Amino acid sequence: MGRYILKRLGISVAVVFLVSVISFTLVHMLPGDPAVLALGSEASEQDIATFREKYYLNRPVVEQYFIWISDTLRGDLGDSITYSRPVLTCLKGCPVQSL
């Protein structure tokens, strides 16, 4: 029985890892520069550079992934661009914006 549980646990860890790699890859495949999309096309080069530095977008993709995973495992889900507050706070109950 213990062997079965360990096997299932190992499979679960592998699936979570694969899902994280796939989702991270898909987000990075989206067209456009995330800094320009977040700040708008009117943003200055200095603002864009600061944004890239803050969110590690100026680092290699593999390094970005490991930073993202380590932050997530520590419970730091980053900041919401829409609400300008931590994502974890928003998951607990950010107000819904109407269209």
Side-chain angles (χ1 to χ4, degrees):
M1 182 66 160
R3 200 175 170 125
Y4 174 77
I5 292 172
L6 285 176
K7 183 178 177 182
R8 298 302 273 179
L9 185 62
I11 291 171
S12 298
V13 169
V15 168
V16 168
F17 173 72
L18 285 174
V19 168
S20 73
V21 169
I22 290 169
S23 62
F24 187 83
T25 302
L26 288 175
V27 167
H28 276 73
M29 289 176 62
L30 291 172
D33 181 2
V36 174
L37 291 173
L39 299 175
S41 59
E42 304 294 320
S44 70
E45 287 297 321
Q46 179 62 37
D47 291 339
I48 291 172
T50 302
F51 185 90
R52 286 184 183 136
E53 182 71 31
K54 179 179 179 183
Y55 293 104
Y56 307 108
L57 297 172
N58 56 347
R59 308 250 178 112
V61 176
V62 173
E63 188 176 343
Q64 289 178 39
Y65 174 77
F66 285 111
I67 291 169
W68 177 65
I69 283 295
S70 70
D71 287 350
T72 301
L73 290 175
R74 284 184 284 128
D76 179 6
L77 301 178
D79 296 327
S80 168
I81 294 171
T82 304
Y83 297 111
S84 299
R85 58 175 77 155
V87 170
L88 200 55
T89 303
C90 290
L91 290 174
K92 291 177 183 175
C94 275
V96 177
Q97 290 182 344
S98 61
L99 298 177

